[in-house]
Structures are given as C-alpha cells and as structure tokens.
Amino acid sequence: MLHGPAAMGEPWQPQPQQQRLPGLGNASEPSAWPSAAGEPGTAAPGGSGGTGAGGAVSPWDIALCATGTAVAGENALVLAVLFYTPSLRAPMFLLIGSLALADLLAGLGLVANFAVRYLLRPPSEAAELGAAGLLLAAFSASICSLLAITVDRYLSLYNALTYHSERTLGFTCAMVLLMWLLCLGVGLLPLLGWNCLRDQSACSILRPVTKDNAAVLAVTFLLLFALMMQLYLQICKIAFRHAQQIAVQHQFIATAQATSTRKGLSTLSLILGTFALCWIPFAIYSLVADSSYPVVYTYSLALPATCNSLINPIIYAFRNPDIQKSLWLACCGCIPSTFSSRPRTSSDV
C-alpha cells in the first residue's frame, strides 16, 4: 500500500540531502597541537572532521591542558607577589616578572587551545590561529626572558662596580618592552598568513605553523641557547676570579662570597640543564619532522617543553630569599626564625 504523495497520484521525488556547509569540519583542523588520522582534529572517514561534544578526547591533550592550568596558577602567584610587594622593584625582579607573565600566558594559551579545539562550536579559523599565535608569542617571550636574565647576571658580575648605576629600572623597562613587541610580532605571524591552512602538505609537527617557519624558529632557539651557554661560561670564569681575589684580601669575606658563588653557579647549572632537557629535543625534532610523523612523538616531546614553564617559577622565584620572605608574610603573616637574612650579592640568581 502506498502512502504520501504516491498514493494521491503525485510523482515521487527523492528528498534532497542536507548540504554540508563548507568549513573547518571538512578537513584537518588547524591547530598548534599535533594531530593525525584517527586523532581529534582530522577528518573522519565519510564524515566531518574534528571532535564534537561527545567525541573522544586525547589523553595527551588533557595532560597538556592540565599542565597549562598548573603553569598559569603558579606564575599568577609569582606575579601577585611581585605586584603587591613594593620592595621587589629592582631590575632583576622586573625580569623575573616578565618571565612569569610569559609563562602565565603560555599556560593560558594551552588551556585556550584545548577549549578552541574541543569546546568551540562551530569551529573558528580565526580562534584557532589566535590560540596558536598566543602560544608562539608566550613561549618566545619566555625564552627571551630567560636570555635576558642570563645577560643581567653576566653584567652584574662583569660590571660589578657600575652595575647598579647603569642598569636602571627605566632602561630595563625599555628593553623588556622592546622584547615583548618582538615576541608579539612573532605571535601575529599565523594571523597574517604565515600558516599552512591552504596547503596541508606544508604543515610542521604543530599546525598551523609551516615547516619552513618551524625550522627558522628552531634554529633561532638553538642559537639563543648557544648564546646562553657562552654567557654561562663567562659567568663561571668571572665568579671564580672574583672569589680568588677576595680570598687573597679577606678570608672571612671570602668564605661568604664562596658560598654565594657556589649557590649562583648551581642555580645557573640548574637553569640551563632543565632548559636544555625540556626544549632541545623538541627543537631538534621540529627540524627533521613534519605532520606526517607519528603524533605520539610530537606529544611526548611537546609536553616536557611546556613543563619548562612549570619549573621556571621554582628556579627563579620560589628560591629567591626576597620572594620567599614576601610569600611567608602573605601566607602566614610572619617569617620563620630559621629564615636566612643574608644580604643578596651579585652572584645570586
């Protein structure tokens, strides 16, 4: 028995299929996160790509988002201490604040990238490029801030007599502002067309950055690390020379200076060691790999790189006696009797 229009003698016509709107869902989604076939962010066979509200979420993405949340919270605490403590206004603390701000934005960028990829519906090309640009700018500023702190430590030893008169707060502010403008320019590159959205074969391990751009960033990073290593070697030479000169004049002062020098050198070793372990494998891999490589390799190297922003506050801020004192006062309203009140020297980091 016929029903509907056919039963009334009307010719049957097939119902038109629902049109698929052109958009990011029909191809690989641009993302600063790695993706591969079968992973969130790539087109599913016979359907639109991406991950819907009920789709599977990669455990790696959850780990990166959780790391970003921890990074943002930890560095927000550092910034709050620096902002609400009037005594922490020296150029050194301005550089530490710049590093904390960069790492805070990096953590927020990781969370924003997760939200854009899994929660934003419909997908927005501008939002994904913006999140990728935020990560580029933040991590670039973090690395540049580490270099600036190393340069500051070198100058404090090389020009120990004139350091405090030459390195004024205004000069340091100008240099930090110039550095941030440069890093913001790097972050704007994906939005200005330096991306692989129109040519997926040109993508690097982290879309939407192209392979050529990723290679330039990796080489620049390795050059900056080489510069940091050279400055570190110079700091070691100057610190030991100062310790020997003081030892000849005053034995008592030499003991205190030697302790300060050892602490400064151990801190610098910790800084460069963790920096190298976190970033160099990822930088080298980005030089030789592209988006066709297994996604698990990219994730396993990107996660330690992001963890460097989790370690920086521990090395630079929470080990600093002045910041420790402010934290004790803010949290407990007192300073422990065992707290060291030794005055800071130019060898401290």
Side-chain angles (χ1 to χ4, degrees), residues 130-146:
L134 175 59
L135 285 176
L136 279 177
F139 282 119
S140 298
S142 178
I143 293 172
C144 289
S145 295
L146 288 173

PDB file of all heavy atoms in Angstrom, residues 130-146:
ATOM      1  N   GLY A 130      44.433  32.404  16.415  1.00  0.00           N
ATOM      2  CA  GLY A 130      44.737  33.263  17.548  1.00  0.00           C
ATOM      3  C   GLY A 130      45.340  32.491  18.710  1.00  0.00           C
ATOM      4  O   GLY A 130      46.281  32.959  19.361  1.00  0.00           O
ATOM      5  N   ALA A 131      44.801  31.301  18.994  1.00  0.00           N
ATOM      6  CA  ALA A 131      45.351  30.481  20.068  1.00  0.00           C
ATOM      7  C   ALA A 131      46.772  30.038  19.741  1.00  0.00           C
ATOM      8  O   ALA A 131      47.649  30.029  20.621  1.00  0.00           O
ATOM      9  CB  ALA A 131      44.449  29.263  20.301  1.00  0.00           C
ATOM     10  N   ALA A 132      47.011  29.662  18.473  1.00  0.00           N
ATOM     11  CA  ALA A 132      48.360  29.277  18.064  1.00  0.00           C
ATOM     12  C   ALA A 132      49.316  30.465  18.179  1.00  0.00           C
ATOM     13  O   ALA A 132      50.459  30.328  18.634  1.00  0.00           O
ATOM     14  CB  ALA A 132      48.345  28.746  16.627  1.00  0.00           C
ATOM     15  N   GLY A 133      48.853  31.662  17.784  1.00  0.00           N
ATOM     16  CA  GLY A 133      49.692  32.851  17.901  1.00  0.00           C
ATOM     17  C   GLY A 133      50.011  33.204  19.341  1.00  0.00           C
ATOM     18  O   GLY A 133      51.122  33.649  19.656  1.00  0.00           O
ATOM     19  N   LEU A 134      49.043  32.987  20.246  1.00  0.00           N
ATOM     20  CA  LEU A 134      49.278  33.244  21.671  1.00  0.00           C
ATOM     21  C   LEU A 134      50.377  32.337  22.204  1.00  0.00           C
ATOM     22  O   LEU A 134      51.251  32.775  22.962  1.00  0.00           O
ATOM     23  CB  LEU A 134      47.984  33.036  22.454  1.00  0.00           C
ATOM     24  CG  LEU A 134      48.080  33.153  23.986  1.00  0.00           C
ATOM     25  CD1 LEU A 134      48.588  34.532  24.391  1.00  0.00           C
ATOM     26  CD2 LEU A 134      46.726  32.863  24.629  1.00  0.00           C
ATOM     27  N   LEU A 135      50.353  31.079  21.808  1.00  0.00           N
ATOM     28  CA  LEU A 135      51.389  30.148  22.257  1.00  0.00           C
ATOM     29  C   LEU A 135      52.753  30.538  21.704  1.00  0.00           C
ATOM     30  O   LEU A 135      53.763  30.500  22.422  1.00  0.00           O
ATOM     31  CB  LEU A 135      51.031  28.724  21.826  1.00  0.00           C
ATOM     32  CG  LEU A 135      49.929  28.040  22.626  1.00  0.00           C
ATOM     33  CD1 LEU A 135      49.601  26.679  22.024  1.00  0.00           C
ATOM     34  CD2 LEU A 135      50.345  27.869  24.081  1.00  0.00           C
ATOM     35  N   LEU A 136      52.799  30.913  20.422  1.00  0.00           N
ATOM     36  CA  LEU A 136      54.070  31.319  19.827  1.00  0.00           C
ATOM     37  C   LEU A 136      54.650  32.542  20.548  1.00  0.00           C
ATOM     38  O   LEU A 136      55.835  32.573  20.884  1.00  0.00           O
ATOM     39  CB  LEU A 136      53.873  31.632  18.346  1.00  0.00           C
ATOM     40  CG  LEU A 136      53.843  30.452  17.374  1.00  0.00           C
ATOM     41  CD1 LEU A 136      53.577  30.949  15.957  1.00  0.00           C
ATOM     42  CD2 LEU A 136      55.138  29.670  17.423  1.00  0.00           C
ATOM     43  N   ALA A 137      53.796  33.552  20.783  1.00  0.00           N
ATOM     44  CA  ALA A 137      54.265  34.763  21.438  1.00  0.00           C
ATOM     45  C   ALA A 137      54.699  34.488  22.870  1.00  0.00           C
ATOM     46  O   ALA A 137      55.737  34.986  23.329  1.00  0.00           O
ATOM     47  CB  ALA A 137      53.163  35.827  21.404  1.00  0.00           C
ATOM     48  N   ALA A 138      53.921  33.690  23.597  1.00  0.00           N
ATOM     49  CA  ALA A 138      54.211  33.441  25.008  1.00  0.00           C
ATOM     50  C   ALA A 138      55.504  32.647  25.192  1.00  0.00           C
ATOM     51  O   ALA A 138      56.364  33.014  26.013  1.00  0.00           O
ATOM     52  CB  ALA A 138      53.042  32.703  25.653  1.00  0.00           C
ATOM     53  N   PHE A 139      55.661  31.569  24.432  1.00  0.00           N
ATOM     54  CA  PHE A 139      56.875  30.770  24.590  1.00  0.00           C
ATOM     55  C   PHE A 139      58.098  31.524  24.067  1.00  0.00           C
ATOM     56  O   PHE A 139      59.205  31.354  24.594  1.00  0.00           O
ATOM     57  CB  PHE A 139      56.722  29.427  23.888  1.00  0.00           C
ATOM     58  CG  PHE A 139      55.892  28.439  24.659  1.00  0.00           C
ATOM     59  CD1 PHE A 139      54.723  27.932  24.128  1.00  0.00           C
ATOM     60  CD2 PHE A 139      56.274  28.023  25.923  1.00  0.00           C
ATOM     61  CE1 PHE A 139      53.948  27.027  24.842  1.00  0.00           C
ATOM     62  CE2 PHE A 139      55.513  27.120  26.648  1.00  0.00           C
ATOM     63  CZ  PHE A 139      54.343  26.616  26.104  1.00  0.00           C
ATOM     64  N   SER A 140      57.927  32.354  23.034  1.00  0.00           N
ATOM     65  CA  SER A 140      59.042  33.181  22.566  1.00  0.00           C
ATOM     66  C   SER A 140      59.457  34.173  23.652  1.00  0.00           C
ATOM     67  O   SER A 140      60.653  34.363  23.918  1.00  0.00           O
ATOM     68  CB  SER A 140      58.647  33.936  21.296  1.00  0.00           C
ATOM     69  OG  SER A 140      58.349  33.049  20.241  1.00  0.00           O
ATOM     70  N   ALA A 141      58.471  34.799  24.303  1.00  0.00           N
ATOM     71  CA  ALA A 141      58.778  35.743  25.381  1.00  0.00           C
ATOM     72  C   ALA A 141      59.410  35.032  26.574  1.00  0.00           C
ATOM     73  O   ALA A 141      60.281  35.600  27.253  1.00  0.00           O
ATOM     74  CB  ALA A 141      57.512  36.470  25.810  1.00  0.00           C
ATOM     75  N   SER A 142      58.995  33.812  26.847  1.00  0.00           N
ATOM     76  CA  SER A 142      59.581  33.056  27.957  1.00  0.00           C
ATOM     77  C   SER A 142      61.051  32.775  27.710  1.00  0.00           C
ATOM     78  O   SER A 142      61.903  32.973  28.587  1.00  0.00           O
ATOM     79  CB  SER A 142      58.806  31.744  28.148  1.00  0.00           C
ATOM     80  OG  SER A 142      59.375  30.969  29.194  1.00  0.00           O
ATOM     81  N   ILE A 143      61.375  32.338  26.495  1.00  0.00           N
ATOM     82  CA  ILE A 143      62.767  32.036  26.161  1.00  0.00           C
ATOM     83  C   ILE A 143      63.603  33.308  26.155  1.00  0.00           C
ATOM     84  O   ILE A 143      64.733  33.337  26.654  1.00  0.00           O
ATOM     85  CB  ILE A 143      62.833  31.313  24.799  1.00  0.00           C
ATOM     86  CG1 ILE A 143      62.189  29.923  24.911  1.00  0.00           C
ATOM     87  CG2 ILE A 143      64.269  31.180  24.322  1.00  0.00           C
ATOM     88  CD1 ILE A 143      62.020  29.211  23.597  1.00  0.00           C
ATOM     89  N   CYS A 144      63.055  34.391  25.599  1.00  0.00           N
ATOM     90  CA  CYS A 144      63.786  35.665  25.580  1.00  0.00           C
ATOM     91  C   CYS A 144      63.987  36.208  26.997  1.00  0.00           C
ATOM     92  O   CYS A 144      65.024  36.816  27.293  1.00  0.00           O
ATOM     93  CB  CYS A 144      63.048  36.675  24.716  1.00  0.00           C
ATOM     94  SG  CYS A 144      63.113  36.334  22.938  1.00  0.00           S
ATOM     95  N   SER A 145      63.020  36.001  27.875  1.00  0.00           N
ATOM     96  CA  SER A 145      63.172  36.447  29.262  1.00  0.00           C
ATOM     97  C   SER A 145      64.266  35.657  29.968  1.00  0.00           C
ATOM     98  O   SER A 145      65.027  36.213  30.778  1.00  0.00           O
ATOM     99  CB  SER A 145      61.843  36.299  30.011  1.00  0.00           C
ATOM    100  OG  SER A 145      60.855  37.159  29.487  1.00  0.00           O
ATOM    101  N   LEU A 146      64.365  34.364  29.684  1.00  0.00           N
ATOM    102  CA  LEU A 146      65.457  33.565  30.246  1.00  0.00           C
ATOM    103  C   LEU A 146      66.806  34.089  29.771  1.00  0.00           C
ATOM    104  O   LEU A 146      67.766  34.182  30.558  1.00  0.00           O
ATOM    105  CB  LEU A 146      65.285  32.102  29.843  1.00  0.00           C
ATOM    106  CG  LEU A 146      64.148  31.336  30.514  1.00  0.00           C
ATOM    107  CD1 LEU A 146      63.990  29.960  29.885  1.00  0.00           C
ATOM    108  CD2 LEU A 146      64.394  31.200  32.002  1.00  0.00           C
TER     109      LEU A 146
END
